[in-house]
Amino acid sequence: MNPVTRILTISERNPDPSIIAVASQAILEGKLVAFPTETVYGLGANALNPEAVARIFSAKGRPAEDPLIIHLASPSDLPRVTLEVPPMALLLAQEFWPGPLTLVLRRHPAVPPSVSAGLDTVAVRVPAHPVALALIQTSGVPIAAPSANLFGHSSPTTARHVWEDLSGRIDLILDGGPTPVGVESTVLDLTSSIPTILRPGGVTLEALQEIIGDVHTLKNSPLDRGKPQASPGLLGKHYAPHARLILLKMVNPTSLHQTLRRLVSDETSKGNRVGLLIASEDLPFVQDLPAKLAVIGSLDDLATVARNLYGGIRQLDQENVDLILARDFGNFGLGMAIRDRLSRASSQQITDDEQP
């Protein structure tokens, strides 16, 4: 445990070089630094230092089978961490980097096996956030950085979220304000015969298909604890609030609102406090209910929904609800990533055919 975690406020657009220098020196000394990326806050350490990497797992309480993503300053740094750079990787880098796309490639021997759960692959990306890029460039080393939260908890999109989870466990937090994307990067495996999305995220399936054509999605994620994973975020229970969460994966709006009302009535009659994670379109149908509300955006603006997703979940946790009822946002575009996070955070899912 680190008895003191420092927080340094830094401009998102024009990072102060003196603050970056302090954080970079901490990275080079093997310490842990939380910093904003465009997706969520990352918990960074020198990816080539096995002892520093081990501290990430310890601070988060993260199992060894869940790999880390290495963050680079530029695609030109790929040879430092990968054995080969296939033409498709260069094509995708040109189109999506810096940005929320992670590529799974063959791991370079210089990368400690612990970064990749002992596998011969490695997950890499170039983040699109000035603070993250400045930190990587100034430190001069690849930075391994999972989300800066306790393992399994909802990911952090503000420095306050990081502090709530990791204060006293890490050395430094760079507070660069809220993260603009709000869900983690898409992880695309390029070591398989057909590029395969292992984790949906900030780059959509449709955007990838426009550039490289055929893309598969991982239908059945491996769930076994103890089995090395090819990507972070594949374990069955992940991104979860402290409260129990039920995902209402319902297409019919009338059924959705009737089910929300019924469940709120049932749960409050038992003395449970209920929170609703909903779209703005749902508000007129549920605003009279005795429930805490987190309205995270419109069905027509999934970028805003994604940006507010984890903040809404954490808000309801702060309001000490016992149960969160979350609506689904579809499976197109960013809806795929939002559904993935809510599905893994949930303890139960209800569809139109499975109403209580």
PDB file of all heavy atoms in Angstrom, residues 277-282 294-306 308-309 327 329:
ATOM      1  N   LEU A 277     -31.095   3.511 -14.657  1.00  0.00           N
ATOM      2  CA  LEU A 277     -30.115   4.001 -15.629  1.00  0.00           C
ATOM      3  C   LEU A 277     -30.828   4.015 -16.971  1.00  0.00           C
ATOM      4  O   LEU A 277     -31.020   2.962 -17.597  1.00  0.00           O
ATOM      5  CB  LEU A 277     -28.894   3.077 -15.655  1.00  0.00           C
ATOM      6  CG  LEU A 277     -27.678   3.569 -16.441  1.00  0.00           C
ATOM      7  CD1 LEU A 277     -26.934   4.612 -15.629  1.00  0.00           C
ATOM      8  CD2 LEU A 277     -26.751   2.413 -16.793  1.00  0.00           C
ATOM      9  N   ILE A 278     -31.204   5.208 -17.437  1.00  0.00           N
ATOM     10  CA  ILE A 278     -32.152   5.291 -18.535  1.00  0.00           C
ATOM     11  C   ILE A 278     -31.723   6.331 -19.569  1.00  0.00           C
ATOM     12  O   ILE A 278     -30.798   7.116 -19.363  1.00  0.00           O
ATOM     13  CB  ILE A 278     -33.557   5.649 -18.020  1.00  0.00           C
ATOM     14  CG1 ILE A 278     -33.519   6.943 -17.203  1.00  0.00           C
ATOM     15  CG2 ILE A 278     -34.135   4.499 -17.198  1.00  0.00           C
ATOM     16  CD1 ILE A 278     -34.879   7.441 -16.757  1.00  0.00           C
ATOM     17  N   ALA A 279     -32.458   6.330 -20.690  1.00  0.00           N
ATOM     18  CA  ALA A 279     -32.303   7.333 -21.739  1.00  0.00           C
ATOM     19  C   ALA A 279     -33.254   8.498 -21.480  1.00  0.00           C
ATOM     20  O   ALA A 279     -34.254   8.354 -20.762  1.00  0.00           O
ATOM     21  CB  ALA A 279     -32.585   6.717 -23.106  1.00  0.00           C
ATOM     22  N   SER A 280     -32.968   9.638 -22.091  1.00  0.00           N
ATOM     23  CA  SER A 280     -33.836  10.798 -21.898  1.00  0.00           C
ATOM     24  C   SER A 280     -35.251  10.523 -22.396  1.00  0.00           C
ATOM     25  O   SER A 280     -36.220  11.066 -21.850  1.00  0.00           O
ATOM     26  CB  SER A 280     -33.243  12.016 -22.605  1.00  0.00           C
ATOM     27  OG  SER A 280     -32.967  11.734 -23.965  1.00  0.00           O
ATOM     28  N   GLU A 281     -35.371   9.662 -23.403  1.00  0.00           N
ATOM     29  CA  GLU A 281     -36.697   9.328 -23.920  1.00  0.00           C
ATOM     30  C   GLU A 281     -37.555   8.572 -22.902  1.00  0.00           C
ATOM     31  O   GLU A 281     -38.793   8.548 -23.005  1.00  0.00           O
ATOM     32  CB  GLU A 281     -36.574   8.477 -25.195  1.00  0.00           C
ATOM     33  CG  GLU A 281     -36.074   9.228 -26.409  1.00  0.00           C
ATOM     34  CD  GLU A 281     -34.557   9.283 -26.505  1.00  0.00           C
ATOM     35  OE1 GLU A 281     -33.880   8.938 -25.510  1.00  0.00           O
ATOM     36  OE2 GLU A 281     -34.049   9.666 -27.571  1.00  0.00           O
ATOM     37  N   ASP A 282     -36.916   7.928 -21.917  1.00  0.00           N
ATOM     38  CA  ASP A 282     -37.657   7.165 -20.910  1.00  0.00           C
ATOM     39  C   ASP A 282     -38.218   8.045 -19.797  1.00  0.00           C
ATOM     40  O   ASP A 282     -39.147   7.638 -19.092  1.00  0.00           O
ATOM     41  CB  ASP A 282     -36.742   6.110 -20.265  1.00  0.00           C
ATOM     42  CG  ASP A 282     -36.155   5.143 -21.272  1.00  0.00           C
ATOM     43  OD1 ASP A 282     -36.898   4.693 -22.152  1.00  0.00           O
ATOM     44  OD2 ASP A 282     -34.936   4.850 -21.172  1.00  0.00           O
ATOM     45  N   ALA A 294     -30.641   8.171 -13.165  1.00  0.00           N
ATOM     46  CA  ALA A 294     -29.434   8.582 -13.891  1.00  0.00           C
ATOM     47  C   ALA A 294     -29.794   8.568 -15.366  1.00  0.00           C
ATOM     48  O   ALA A 294     -29.897   7.492 -15.970  1.00  0.00           O
ATOM     49  CB  ALA A 294     -28.272   7.650 -13.585  1.00  0.00           C
ATOM     50  N   VAL A 295     -30.032   9.748 -15.921  1.00  0.00           N
ATOM     51  CA  VAL A 295     -30.390   9.883 -17.338  1.00  0.00           C
ATOM     52  C   VAL A 295     -29.100  10.157 -18.090  1.00  0.00           C
ATOM     53  O   VAL A 295     -28.498  11.220 -17.938  1.00  0.00           O
ATOM     54  CB  VAL A 295     -31.408  11.014 -17.542  1.00  0.00           C
ATOM     55  CG1 VAL A 295     -31.818  11.093 -19.012  1.00  0.00           C
ATOM     56  CG2 VAL A 295     -32.631  10.812 -16.659  1.00  0.00           C
ATOM     57  N   ILE A 296     -28.645   9.190 -18.901  1.00  0.00           N
ATOM     58  CA  ILE A 296     -27.287   9.280 -19.446  1.00  0.00           C
ATOM     59  C   ILE A 296     -27.228   9.706 -20.909  1.00  0.00           C
ATOM     60  O   ILE A 296     -26.140   9.754 -21.480  1.00  0.00           O
ATOM     61  CB  ILE A 296     -26.525   7.959 -19.239  1.00  0.00           C
ATOM     62  CG1 ILE A 296     -27.227   6.773 -19.901  1.00  0.00           C
ATOM     63  CG2 ILE A 296     -26.339   7.701 -17.745  1.00  0.00           C
ATOM     64  CD1 ILE A 296     -26.420   5.470 -19.806  1.00  0.00           C
ATOM     65  N   GLY A 297     -28.365  10.029 -21.522  1.00  0.00           N
ATOM     66  CA  GLY A 297     -28.316  10.518 -22.895  1.00  0.00           C
ATOM     67  C   GLY A 297     -29.486  10.024 -23.714  1.00  0.00           C
ATOM     68  O   GLY A 297     -30.336   9.260 -23.244  1.00  0.00           O
ATOM     69  N   SER A 298     -29.518  10.468 -24.962  1.00  0.00           N
ATOM     70  CA  SER A 298     -30.597  10.117 -25.871  1.00  0.00           C
ATOM     71  C   SER A 298     -30.272   8.860 -26.663  1.00  0.00           C
ATOM     72  O   SER A 298     -29.100   8.570 -26.946  1.00  0.00           O
ATOM     73  CB  SER A 298     -30.850  11.274 -26.845  1.00  0.00           C
ATOM     74  OG  SER A 298     -31.677  10.876 -27.918  1.00  0.00           O
ATOM     75  N   LEU A 299     -31.305   8.140 -27.051  1.00  0.00           N
ATOM     76  CA  LEU A 299     -31.133   6.972 -27.903  1.00  0.00           C
ATOM     77  C   LEU A 299     -30.538   7.355 -29.253  1.00  0.00           C
ATOM     78  O   LEU A 299     -29.951   6.510 -29.941  1.00  0.00           O
ATOM     79  CB  LEU A 299     -32.472   6.273 -28.115  1.00  0.00           C
ATOM     80  CG  LEU A 299     -33.132   5.682 -26.860  1.00  0.00           C
ATOM     81  CD1 LEU A 299     -34.540   5.218 -27.180  1.00  0.00           C
ATOM     82  CD2 LEU A 299     -32.307   4.542 -26.309  1.00  0.00           C
ATOM     83  N   ASP A 300     -30.683   8.611 -29.623  1.00  0.00           N
ATOM     84  CA  ASP A 300     -30.146   9.093 -30.896  1.00  0.00           C
ATOM     85  C   ASP A 300     -28.721   9.626 -30.766  1.00  0.00           C
ATOM     86  O   ASP A 300     -28.159  10.120 -31.745  1.00  0.00           O
ATOM     87  CB  ASP A 300     -31.047  10.202 -31.463  1.00  0.00           C
ATOM     88  CG  ASP A 300     -32.435   9.690 -31.823  1.00  0.00           C
ATOM     89  OD1 ASP A 300     -32.532   8.531 -32.277  1.00  0.00           O
ATOM     90  OD2 ASP A 300     -33.406  10.444 -31.637  1.00  0.00           O
ATOM     91  N   ASP A 301     -28.142   9.564 -29.577  1.00  0.00           N
ATOM     92  CA  ASP A 301     -26.798  10.105 -29.344  1.00  0.00           C
ATOM     93  C   ASP A 301     -26.027   9.142 -28.443  1.00  0.00           C
ATOM     94  O   ASP A 301     -25.804   9.407 -27.268  1.00  0.00           O
ATOM     95  CB  ASP A 301     -26.902  11.494 -28.702  1.00  0.00           C
ATOM     96  CG  ASP A 301     -25.548  12.161 -28.515  1.00  0.00           C
ATOM     97  OD1 ASP A 301     -24.527  11.602 -28.986  1.00  0.00           O
ATOM     98  OD2 ASP A 301     -25.501  13.233 -27.879  1.00  0.00           O
ATOM     99  N   LEU A 302     -25.610   8.018 -29.041  1.00  0.00           N
ATOM    100  CA  LEU A 302     -24.941   6.996 -28.248  1.00  0.00           C
ATOM    101  C   LEU A 302     -23.549   7.428 -27.788  1.00  0.00           C
ATOM    102  O   LEU A 302     -23.019   6.879 -26.812  1.00  0.00           O
ATOM    103  CB  LEU A 302     -24.858   5.685 -29.031  1.00  0.00           C
ATOM    104  CG  LEU A 302     -26.207   5.003 -29.310  1.00  0.00           C
ATOM    105  CD1 LEU A 302     -25.992   3.660 -29.996  1.00  0.00           C
ATOM    106  CD2 LEU A 302     -27.017   4.834 -28.030  1.00  0.00           C
ATOM    107  N   ALA A 303     -22.946   8.399 -28.467  1.00  0.00           N
ATOM    108  CA  ALA A 303     -21.643   8.908 -28.000  1.00  0.00           C
ATOM    109  C   ALA A 303     -21.796   9.541 -26.618  1.00  0.00           C
ATOM    110  O   ALA A 303     -20.942   9.346 -25.738  1.00  0.00           O
ATOM    111  CB  ALA A 303     -21.084   9.920 -28.991  1.00  0.00           C
ATOM    112  N   THR A 304     -22.878  10.282 -26.408  1.00  0.00           N
ATOM    113  CA  THR A 304     -23.127  10.867 -25.087  1.00  0.00           C
ATOM    114  C   THR A 304     -23.467   9.789 -24.069  1.00  0.00           C
ATOM    115  O   THR A 304     -23.017   9.831 -22.916  1.00  0.00           O
ATOM    116  CB  THR A 304     -24.267  11.897 -25.168  1.00  0.00           C
ATOM    117  OG1 THR A 304     -23.845  12.983 -25.997  1.00  0.00           O
ATOM    118  CG2 THR A 304     -24.627  12.441 -23.794  1.00  0.00           C
ATOM    119  N   VAL A 305     -24.259   8.801 -24.478  1.00  0.00           N
ATOM    120  CA  VAL A 305     -24.593   7.691 -23.580  1.00  0.00           C
ATOM    121  C   VAL A 305     -23.318   6.983 -23.119  1.00  0.00           C
ATOM    122  O   VAL A 305     -23.139   6.710 -21.925  1.00  0.00           O
ATOM    123  CB  VAL A 305     -25.546   6.699 -24.283  1.00  0.00           C
ATOM    124  CG1 VAL A 305     -25.727   5.438 -23.431  1.00  0.00           C
ATOM    125  CG2 VAL A 305     -26.892   7.348 -24.545  1.00  0.00           C
ATOM    126  N   ALA A 306     -22.426   6.683 -24.058  1.00  0.00           N
ATOM    127  CA  ALA A 306     -21.174   6.015 -23.707  1.00  0.00           C
ATOM    128  C   ALA A 306     -20.343   6.878 -22.755  1.00  0.00           C
ATOM    129  O   ALA A 306     -19.765   6.378 -21.783  1.00  0.00           O
ATOM    130  CB  ALA A 306     -20.374   5.700 -24.964  1.00  0.00           C
ATOM    131  N   ASN A 308     -21.333   8.975 -20.603  1.00  0.00           N
ATOM    132  CA  ASN A 308     -21.942   9.103 -19.276  1.00  0.00           C
ATOM    133  C   ASN A 308     -22.217   7.768 -18.599  1.00  0.00           C
ATOM    134  O   ASN A 308     -22.693   7.746 -17.461  1.00  0.00           O
ATOM    135  CB  ASN A 308     -23.266   9.864 -19.397  1.00  0.00           C
ATOM    136  CG  ASN A 308     -23.071  11.306 -19.824  1.00  0.00           C
ATOM    137  OD1 ASN A 308     -22.043  11.907 -19.556  1.00  0.00           O
ATOM    138  ND2 ASN A 308     -24.071  11.870 -20.500  1.00  0.00           N
ATOM    139  N   LEU A 309     -21.924   6.656 -19.273  1.00  0.00           N
ATOM    140  CA  LEU A 309     -22.318   5.342 -18.776  1.00  0.00           C
ATOM    141  C   LEU A 309     -21.766   5.048 -17.382  1.00  0.00           C
ATOM    142  O   LEU A 309     -22.517   4.799 -16.435  1.00  0.00           O
ATOM    143  CB  LEU A 309     -21.864   4.260 -19.760  1.00  0.00           C
ATOM    144  CG  LEU A 309     -22.111   2.812 -19.335  1.00  0.00           C
ATOM    145  CD1 LEU A 309     -23.609   2.539 -19.227  1.00  0.00           C
ATOM    146  CD2 LEU A 309     -21.457   1.843 -20.324  1.00  0.00           C
ATOM    147  N   ARG A 327     -31.594   0.199 -18.783  1.00  0.00           N
ATOM    148  CA  ARG A 327     -32.146  -0.116 -20.095  1.00  0.00           C
ATOM    149  C   ARG A 327     -31.032  -0.436 -21.085  1.00  0.00           C
ATOM    150  O   ARG A 327     -29.867  -0.086 -20.873  1.00  0.00           O
ATOM    151  CB  ARG A 327     -33.000   1.041 -20.599  1.00  0.00           C
ATOM    152  CG  ARG A 327     -32.212   2.276 -20.998  1.00  0.00           C
ATOM    153  CD  ARG A 327     -32.319   2.578 -22.484  1.00  0.00           C
ATOM    154  NE  ARG A 327     -33.648   2.992 -22.848  1.00  0.00           N
ATOM    155  CZ  ARG A 327     -34.307   2.512 -23.878  1.00  0.00           C
ATOM    156  NH1 ARG A 327     -33.746   1.598 -24.645  1.00  0.00           N
ATOM    157  NH2 ARG A 327     -35.518   2.945 -24.175  1.00  0.00           N
ATOM    158  N   PHE A 329     -29.342  -0.209 -24.968  1.00  0.00           N
ATOM    159  CA  PHE A 329     -29.236   0.833 -25.980  1.00  0.00           C
ATOM    160  C   PHE A 329     -28.973   0.255 -27.370  1.00  0.00           C
ATOM    161  O   PHE A 329     -28.420   0.923 -28.240  1.00  0.00           O
ATOM    162  CB  PHE A 329     -28.136   1.826 -25.596  1.00  0.00           C
ATOM    163  CG  PHE A 329     -28.501   2.682 -24.412  1.00  0.00           C
ATOM    164  CD1 PHE A 329     -28.276   2.229 -23.113  1.00  0.00           C
ATOM    165  CD2 PHE A 329     -29.100   3.920 -24.583  1.00  0.00           C
ATOM    166  CE1 PHE A 329     -28.630   2.997 -22.016  1.00  0.00           C
ATOM    167  CE2 PHE A 329     -29.454   4.700 -23.503  1.00  0.00           C
ATOM    168  CZ  PHE A 329     -29.226   4.246 -22.212  1.00  0.00           C
TER     169      PHE A 329
END
